[in-house]
Amino acid sequence: MNQNTIVQTPHPTFVSPNKTLNPEVPSDWTHVGRAAPHVKVELMFALKQQNIDHMKSLLERISDPDSQQYGKYLSLEEVASLVRPSELTQKVLGSWLQHHDVQNCQTVVSQDFLQCAVTVEVAETLLQGSEFHYFRRDDQSLVRSLALYSVHEDISQHLDFVGGVHRFPPKKQEVAKSLTSRGPAEAGFHLGVTPAVLRERYNLSASDVGSVENNSQAVAQFLEQFYHPADLAEFMSLFGGGFQHLSTVDRVVGTQGGGKAGLEASLDVEYIMSTGANISTWVFTNPGRHESQEPFLQWMVLLSNMSSVPWVHTISYGDDEDSLSTAYMMRINNEFMKAGLRGLSMLFASGDSGAGCRHLTKENVFRPSFPASSPYVTTVGGTSFKNPYKVTHEITDYISGGGFSNMFEMPDYQVTAVNSYLKTAQSLPPNGYFNASGRAYPDIAALSDNYWVVSNRVPIPWVSGTSASTPVVGGMLALINDQRFRKGLSALGFLNPRLYKLQGKALFDVTEGCHMSCFDELVQGQGFCAASSWDPVTGWGTPNYPEILKAMLDA
């Protein structure tokens, strides 16, 4: 699911966003006019953090099951003390804002974000060269600047980026888009994926449900996506028989919008709660309708300011790497590291565009997605049943996102597995299409094809996408946490180092099929193909729950 992530950045000298990221007005947005000087906008200042290298090495030790520090997570306050900006950074930024009479600011425990409400007049003074205008799409309005801006180097050296300036959220997309590309005739052969089908395929028994009080899981919703409690109750009444479950969300963080439920949100909630059954579930809802701020960034800041949050988070959200600034992605990586230090497992959908395709002037290249390409999250790909009539072994889902980052180096935990794939794969795309030294994804997969979902009180078949597989894997990780807590063990936290040490044991290897990519003469719509062990379409494969539980119950 290709949704929205946002931001533009200062760089270390006189600052303006990278020239390759000149803001443009998307075709679905209409320019209304210049924003009046008194109009309020919200700017998010990301202050330079300290001890980033130490944070990275500490996360590696905490996440390595062979390390004596494995599972010894930090509290929010301890993480904040580690990364808190220097006194000089806080003083310089504070004086700068105070000089421009900026007073309405909120910060977080770690003091590395400042969210300030300012007038357009003040914003244009702070960010020299910016010029804010009104834009409209349907009933949604937005205030953005199309002009590149600068910040004096005395200030910019203390900033990672400024949010709320340039980026336009894309038009909302539903996971049901996959239905139109597959066609109902093909999908109709299969009776559809339900919680019972998932439990049969991944060997979860009726007793594989949550039972401890200190366990929790969460989904995050963006871009005007909301779930309806009545849909969840209806879904569980239709499909929740045979195992103990909850039919209500324990906590909603944020404000649920009115109107129709979103298919994406319904899918996420219904399948994390039916797989991670009987486990307390939170929903973080981020409407994304505010005129000035970006929902994904708001969610990240919110997590940085809550001392008690769920252990597993699944997010069906991403954007093309090349549409984002380097400084923004590097900073978001830091936020993922902070989450890992606290023992949180962050799962992202790999996307529904296969390897993707970026059309350059003289050539095409594959198009990786972020945050799926972050080295500090667990990315989930998608599969389909080989035989549409039966619960059989799985093959690749051709939409399953995967590939190699153009931004991040391959992390140590996956070097051996990925290099083995690159050396032994029977057919690889030409080298010019991908960065073979980049972070490779996905890490794991699950069924992503032909789900039943209840939305707006109507059972809907044929819903497909990695937005389906991600909450399924998240629910299983929450079940494993449940069993670990019963034994007095820590939460799984950042999963990847441990997952790659398994070398595919306890997972169903997916070895058939390829995903889609550029439709040109060289690759003819084919990206990467599945292979034995790890591959950039389905990762290590799909979970065999009893076996992966056994493997993950070691201290």
Side-chain angles (χ1 to χ4, degrees):
M1 175 119 181
N2 192 21
Q3 296 186 329
N4 157 50
T5 299
I6 304 185
V7 102
Q8 294 297 334
T9 83
H11 295 298
T13 56
F14 270 83
V15 161
S16 220
N18 187 318
K19 295 294 184 182
T20 63
L21 294 176
N22 283 0
E24 298 178 355
V25 182
S27 59
D28 55 332
W29 286 90
T30 302
H31 178 248
V32 177
R34 188 84 156 84
H38 68 275
V39 169
K40 287 290 184 73
V41 295
E42 285 189 8
L43 300 179
M44 183 77 77
F45 299 94
L47 283 65
K48 288 281 187 184
Q49 299 164 317
Q50 297 192 97
N51 302 312
I52 301 305
D53 289 340
H54 178 58
M55 177 167 64
K56 180 180 178 181
S57 63
L58 182 58
L59 178 61
E60 289 173 354
R61 297 193 299 273
I62 285 177
S63 306
D64 182 355
D66 295 331
S67 167
Q68 291 185 341
Q69 287 185 263
Y70 178 72
K72 296 181 179 178
Y73 301 125
L74 277 60
S75 66
L76 173 62
E77 291 72 20
E78 289 170 331
V79 172
S81 297
L82 180 66
V83 302
R84 185 171 288 122
S86 68
E87 291 185 10
L88 177 61
T89 291
Q90 294 184 57
K91 183 177 180 180
V92 168
L93 266 294
S95 298
W96 179 54
L97 295 173
Q98 190 174 26
H99 176 73
H100 293 282
D101 199 31
V102 178
Q103 299 177 353
N104 185 15
C105 294
Q106 296 179 317
T107 188
V108 292
V109 174
S110 50
Q111 297 177 298
D112 49 1
F113 283 106
L114 275 177
Q115 183 173 330
C116 302
V118 301
T119 63
V120 163
E121 181 179 19
V122 170
E124 293 177 352
T125 303
L126 291 168
L127 309 175
Q128 290 292 313
S130 62
E131 187 176 286
F132 286 83
H133 290 249
Y134 267 114
F135 300 87
R136 181 171 295 278
R137 180 179 65 192
D138 301 327
D139 62 343
Q140 184 179 10
S141 62
L142 203 63
V143 177
R144 286 288 185 267
S145 171
L146 295 183
L148 300 177
Y149 64 83
S150 62
V151 178
H152 193 278
E153 62 182 335
D154 291 345
I155 305 300
S156 67
Q157 63 182 308
H158 298 284
L159 283 171
D160 280 332
F161 66 83
V162 181
V165 182
H166 287 144
R167 192 162 171 79
F168 290 80
K171 197 169 184 64
K172 179 176 66 177
Q173 299 179 32
E174 300 279 16
V175 287
K177 66 181 182 181
S178 301
L179 167 62
T180 59
S181 63
R182 296 160 193 263
E186 177 185 346
F189 288 128
H190 197 281
L191 295 178
V193 174
T194 65
V197 170
L198 291 168
R199 286 180 167 264
E200 180 180 353
R201 170 55 188 157
Y202 298 130
N203 294 319
L204 286 95
S205 70
S207 61
D208 288 318
V209 298
S211 61
V212 299
E213 293 184 0
N214 61 330
N215 195 14
S216 51
Q217 58 191 3
V219 298
Q221 302 171 358
F222 304 97
L223 299 178
E224 305 173 52
Q225 282 282 333
F226 310 105
Y227 90 99
H228 281 182
D231 290 338
L232 175 59
E234 178 75 8
F235 177 85
M236 289 302 186
S237 70
L238 289 173
F239 301 115
F243 58 91
Q244 189 176 355
H245 60 266
L246 301 173
S247 296
T248 57
V249 168
D250 273 351
R251 183 174 177 183
V252 174
V253 182
T255 304
Q256 281 273 102
K260 291 185 177 181
L263 191 58
E264 170 79 53
S266 303
L267 173 69
D268 289 348
V269 172
E270 288 164 10
Y271 279 92
I272 197 170
M273 290 188 66
S274 56
T275 308
N278 213 43
I279 293 174
S280 173
T281 303
W282 295 20
V283 172
F284 287 83
T285 180
N286 305 268
R289 292 185 60 87
H290 196 286
E291 291 179 341
S292 299
Q293 203 43 262
E294 297 110 348
F296 182 75
L297 190 55
Q298 290 285 78
W299 171 72
M300 291 297 302
V301 171
L302 186 62
L303 287 184
S304 294
N305 210 35
M306 298 179 70
S307 58
S308 179
V309 292
W311 294 106
V312 174
H313 297 257
T314 76
I315 303 95
S316 303
Y317 177 99
D319 212 344
D320 300 322
E321 271 189 354
D322 57 81
S323 72
L324 302 168
S325 68
T326 300
Y328 170 78
M329 288 186 282
M330 296 300 290
R331 176 56 182 266
I332 294 301
N333 267 352
N334 293 352
E335 300 306 308
F336 291 145
M337 282 194 279
K338 286 163 62 177
L341 289 178
R342 297 172 63 188
L344 309 184
S345 299
M346 311 294 284
L347 279 70
F348 278 82
S350 69
D352 295 346
S353 301
C357 187
R358 187 182 184 192
H359 306 285
L360 302 178
T361 304
K362 296 182 179 180
E363 60 185 0
N364 292 333
V365 294
F366 293 164
R367 198 169 203 175
S369 176
F370 181 83
S373 64
S374 168
Y376 303 109
V377 304
T378 299
T379 305
V380 184
T383 62
S384 303
F385 280 124
K386 171 71 171 179
N387 185 334
Y389 297 99
K390 298 179 180 179
V391 178
T392 58
H393 74 278
E394 296 158 73
I395 60 174
T396 62
D397 187 342
Y398 73 94
I399 66 170
S400 179
F404 295 77
S405 173
N406 291 321
M407 184 62 58
F408 309 111
E409 294 180 356
M410 191 181 299
D412 291 342
Y413 61 74
Q414 67 170 186
V415 167
T416 300
V418 177
N419 284 342
S420 176
Y421 172 82
L422 292 172
K423 292 176 182 177
T424 60
Q426 292 186 351
S427 61
L428 282 173
N431 291 335
Y433 280 80
F434 67 100
N435 172 29
S437 63
R439 187 312 201 214
Y441 69 97
D443 306 299
I444 195 170
L447 284 162
S448 56
D449 193 15
N450 297 339
Y451 277 64
W452 280 93
V453 178
V454 174
S455 190
N456 298 299
R457 304 301 295 273
V458 177
I460 302 172
W462 306 327
V463 178
S464 301
T466 54
S467 300
S469 54
T470 306
V472 168
V473 174
M476 281 191 258
L477 295 186
L479 288 176
I480 294 171
N481 274 343
D482 207 88
Q483 293 297 316
R484 287 180 61 86
F485 294 157
R486 291 181 66 179
K487 293 185 64 176
L489 301 174
S490 64
L492 287 170
F494 176 44
L495 182 69
N496 289 8
R498 183 160 197 159
L499 177 65
Y500 279 77
K501 282 181 181 289
L502 290 178
Q503 298 182 333
K505 297 175 183 176
L507 292 105
F508 295 116
D509 196 4
V510 180
T511 60
E512 296 180 54
C514 308
H515 65 183
M516 61 185 180
S517 69
C518 301
F519 288 92
D520 59 28
E521 292 184 2
L522 278 178
V523 295
Q524 300 181 19
Q526 181 174 295
F528 298 98
C529 296
S532 296
S533 297
W534 183 91
D535 61 68
V537 188
T538 62
W540 285 106
T542 62
N544 181 357
Y545 179 74
E547 295 302 314
I548 200 168
L549 172 65
K550 187 187 306 180
M552 296 286 183
L553 278 183
D554 295 334

